[in-house]
mmCIF file of all heavy atoms in Angstrom:
data_model
loop_
_atom_site.group_PDB
_atom_site.id
_atom_site.type_symbol
_atom_site.label_atom_id
_atom_site.label_comp_id
_atom_site.label_asym_id
_atom_site.label_seq_id
_atom_site.Cartn_x
_atom_site.Cartn_y
_atom_site.Cartn_z
ATOM 1 N N PHE C 543 3.991 23.315 -4.266
ATOM 2 C CA PHE C 543 4.966 22.537 -5.024
ATOM 3 C C PHE C 543 4.364 22.220 -6.389
ATOM 4 O O PHE C 543 3.172 21.900 -6.479
ATOM 5 C CB PHE C 543 5.311 21.226 -4.326
ATOM 6 C CG PHE C 543 6.068 21.383 -3.033
ATOM 7 C CD1 PHE C 543 5.837 20.523 -1.964
ATOM 8 C CD2 PHE C 543 7.022 22.379 -2.889
ATOM 9 C CE1 PHE C 543 6.533 20.651 -0.776
ATOM 10 C CE2 PHE C 543 7.722 22.526 -1.698
ATOM 11 C CZ PHE C 543 7.483 21.661 -0.644
ATOM 12 N N ALA C 544 5.162 22.318 -7.430
ATOM 13 C CA ALA C 544 4.704 21.960 -8.775
ATOM 14 C C ALA C 544 5.259 20.596 -9.146
ATOM 15 O O ALA C 544 6.397 20.253 -8.795
ATOM 16 C CB ALA C 544 5.153 23.004 -9.790
ATOM 17 N N MET C 545 4.443 19.841 -9.865
ATOM 18 C CA MET C 545 4.840 18.505 -10.295
ATOM 19 C C MET C 545 4.610 18.392 -11.793
ATOM 20 O O MET C 545 3.497 18.625 -12.274
ATOM 21 C CB MET C 545 4.015 17.463 -9.539
ATOM 22 C CG MET C 545 4.481 16.039 -9.747
ATOM 23 S SD MET C 545 3.551 14.916 -8.689
ATOM 24 C CE MET C 545 4.474 13.411 -8.981
ATOM 25 N N VAL C 546 5.653 18.047 -12.548
ATOM 26 C CA VAL C 546 5.570 17.932 -14.002
ATOM 27 C C VAL C 546 5.904 16.492 -14.378
ATOM 28 O O VAL C 546 7.004 16.001 -14.077
ATOM 29 C CB VAL C 546 6.552 18.898 -14.698
ATOM 30 C CG1 VAL C 546 6.323 18.883 -16.214
ATOM 31 C CG2 VAL C 546 6.413 20.312 -14.150
ATOM 32 N N LEU C 547 4.956 15.826 -15.020
ATOM 33 C CA LEU C 547 5.156 14.409 -15.375
ATOM 34 C C LEU C 547 4.595 14.144 -16.769
ATOM 35 O O LEU C 547 3.834 14.952 -17.308
ATOM 36 C CB LEU C 547 4.516 13.506 -14.328
ATOM 37 C CG LEU C 547 3.084 13.781 -13.874
ATOM 38 C CD1 LEU C 547 2.067 13.328 -14.891
ATOM 39 C CD2 LEU C 547 2.801 13.104 -12.538
ATOM 40 N N PRO C 548 4.968 13.010 -17.369
ATOM 41 C CA PRO C 548 4.514 12.738 -18.740
ATOM 42 C C PRO C 548 3.008 12.530 -18.872
ATOM 43 O O PRO C 548 2.343 13.221 -19.642
ATOM 44 C CB PRO C 548 5.285 11.466 -19.127
ATOM 45 C CG PRO C 548 6.492 11.488 -18.260
ATOM 46 C CD PRO C 548 6.034 12.075 -16.957
ATOM 47 N N GLU C 549 2.443 11.565 -18.122
ATOM 48 C CA GLU C 549 1.019 11.232 -18.268
ATOM 49 C C GLU C 549 0.458 10.763 -16.931
ATOM 50 O O GLU C 549 0.908 9.757 -16.388
ATOM 51 C CB GLU C 549 0.814 10.105 -19.306
ATOM 52 C CG GLU C 549 1.171 10.471 -20.730
ATOM 53 C CD GLU C 549 0.092 11.280 -21.430
ATOM 54 O OE1 GLU C 549 -0.978 11.512 -20.826
ATOM 55 O OE2 GLU C 549 0.333 11.670 -22.592
ATOM 56 N N ILE C 550 -0.534 11.464 -16.409
ATOM 57 C CA ILE C 550 -1.142 11.061 -15.147
ATOM 58 C C ILE C 550 -1.919 9.761 -15.302
ATOM 59 O O ILE C 550 -2.124 9.025 -14.324
ATOM 60 C CB ILE C 550 -2.064 12.185 -14.627
ATOM 61 C CG1 ILE C 550 -2.565 11.865 -13.203
ATOM 62 C CG2 ILE C 550 -3.245 12.405 -15.562
ATOM 63 C CD1 ILE C 550 -1.501 11.725 -12.179
ATOM 64 N N ARG C 551 -2.343 9.420 -16.525
ATOM 65 C CA ARG C 551 -3.139 8.208 -16.716
ATOM 66 C C ARG C 551 -2.320 6.937 -16.510
ATOM 67 O O ARG C 551 -2.878 5.863 -16.299
ATOM 68 C CB ARG C 551 -3.769 8.194 -18.107
ATOM 69 C CG ARG C 551 -2.774 8.086 -19.245
ATOM 70 C CD ARG C 551 -3.454 8.159 -20.596
ATOM 71 N NE ARG C 551 -2.485 8.130 -21.685
ATOM 72 C CZ ARG C 551 -2.817 8.220 -22.960
ATOM 73 N NH1 ARG C 551 -4.088 8.331 -23.295
ATOM 74 N NH2 ARG C 551 -1.884 8.200 -23.896
ATOM 75 N N GLU C 552 -0.984 7.044 -16.576
ATOM 76 C CA GLU C 552 -0.153 5.882 -16.306
ATOM 77 C C GLU C 552 -0.154 5.596 -14.813
ATOM 78 O O GLU C 552 0.100 6.491 -13.993
ATOM 79 C CB GLU C 552 1.287 6.115 -16.788
ATOM 80 C CG GLU C 552 1.436 6.066 -18.296
ATOM 81 C CD GLU C 552 2.893 5.970 -18.713
ATOM 82 O OE1 GLU C 552 3.724 5.533 -17.884
ATOM 83 O OE2 GLU C 552 3.188 6.338 -19.859
ATOM 84 N N ASN C 553 -0.441 4.356 -14.462
ATOM 85 C CA ASN C 553 -0.567 3.990 -13.057
ATOM 86 C C ASN C 553 0.672 4.344 -12.252
ATOM 87 O O ASN C 553 0.571 4.788 -11.101
ATOM 88 C CB ASN C 553 -0.870 2.495 -12.943
ATOM 89 C CG ASN C 553 -1.110 2.065 -11.514
ATOM 90 O OD1 ASN C 553 -0.217 1.603 -10.815
ATOM 91 N ND2 ASN C 553 -2.344 2.235 -11.052
ATOM 92 N N PHE C 554 1.845 4.176 -12.844
ATOM 93 C CA PHE C 554 3.082 4.496 -12.127
ATOM 94 C C PHE C 554 3.075 5.949 -11.668
ATOM 95 O O PHE C 554 3.337 6.251 -10.501
ATOM 96 C CB PHE C 554 4.299 4.228 -13.015
ATOM 97 C CG PHE C 554 5.599 4.669 -12.408
ATOM 98 C CD1 PHE C 554 6.290 3.830 -11.549
ATOM 99 C CD2 PHE C 554 6.118 5.930 -12.685
ATOM 100 C CE1 PHE C 554 7.489 4.250 -10.965
ATOM 101 C CE2 PHE C 554 7.306 6.345 -12.107
ATOM 102 C CZ PHE C 554 7.991 5.511 -11.253
ATOM 103 N N PHE C 555 2.758 6.864 -12.587
ATOM 104 C CA PHE C 555 2.803 8.280 -12.243
ATOM 105 C C PHE C 555 1.665 8.681 -11.308
ATOM 106 O O PHE C 555 1.838 9.556 -10.455
ATOM 107 C CB PHE C 555 2.807 9.128 -13.513
ATOM 108 C CG PHE C 555 4.089 9.040 -14.285
ATOM 109 C CD1 PHE C 555 4.123 8.485 -15.557
ATOM 110 C CD2 PHE C 555 5.277 9.480 -13.734
ATOM 111 C CE1 PHE C 555 5.307 8.380 -16.260
ATOM 112 C CE2 PHE C 555 6.480 9.380 -14.429
ATOM 113 C CZ PHE C 555 6.488 8.827 -15.695
ATOM 114 N N SER C 556 0.509 8.050 -11.448
ATOM 115 C CA SER C 556 -0.578 8.367 -10.521
ATOM 116 C C SER C 556 -0.222 7.943 -9.101
ATOM 117 O O SER C 556 -0.595 8.602 -8.126
ATOM 118 C CB SER C 556 -1.886 7.709 -10.972
ATOM 119 O OG SER C 556 -1.800 6.303 -10.925
ATOM 120 N N GLU C 557 0.544 6.847 -8.959
ATOM 121 C CA GLU C 557 0.997 6.426 -7.633
ATOM 122 C C GLU C 557 2.054 7.385 -7.079
ATOM 123 O O GLU C 557 2.114 7.628 -5.874
ATOM 124 C CB GLU C 557 1.542 5.003 -7.680
ATOM 125 C CG GLU C 557 0.475 3.933 -7.625
ATOM 126 C CD GLU C 557 -0.337 4.019 -6.339
ATOM 127 O OE1 GLU C 557 0.242 3.932 -5.237
ATOM 128 O OE2 GLU C 557 -1.566 4.215 -6.431
ATOM 129 N N VAL C 558 2.909 7.917 -7.952
ATOM 130 C CA VAL C 558 3.868 8.930 -7.511
ATOM 131 C C VAL C 558 3.107 10.143 -6.965
ATOM 132 O O VAL C 558 3.451 10.689 -5.911
ATOM 133 C CB VAL C 558 4.811 9.360 -8.653
ATOM 134 C CG1 VAL C 558 5.731 10.491 -8.178
ATOM 135 C CG2 VAL C 558 5.661 8.192 -9.138
ATOM 136 N N VAL C 559 2.053 10.562 -7.680
ATOM 137 C CA VAL C 559 1.236 11.696 -7.244
ATOM 138 C C VAL C 559 0.639 11.425 -5.868
ATOM 139 O O VAL C 559 0.605 12.303 -4.998
ATOM 140 C CB VAL C 559 0.127 12.005 -8.266
ATOM 141 C CG1 VAL C 559 -0.843 13.055 -7.711
ATOM 142 C CG2 VAL C 559 0.733 12.494 -9.576
#
Side-chain angles (χ1 to χ4, degrees):
F543 292 144
M545 189 174 188
V546 187
L547 48 77
E549 294 281 357
I550 188 61
R551 66 183 177 182
E552 287 194 22
N553 184 265
F554 174 86
F555 290 115
S556 65
E557 278 299 302
V558 176
V559 172

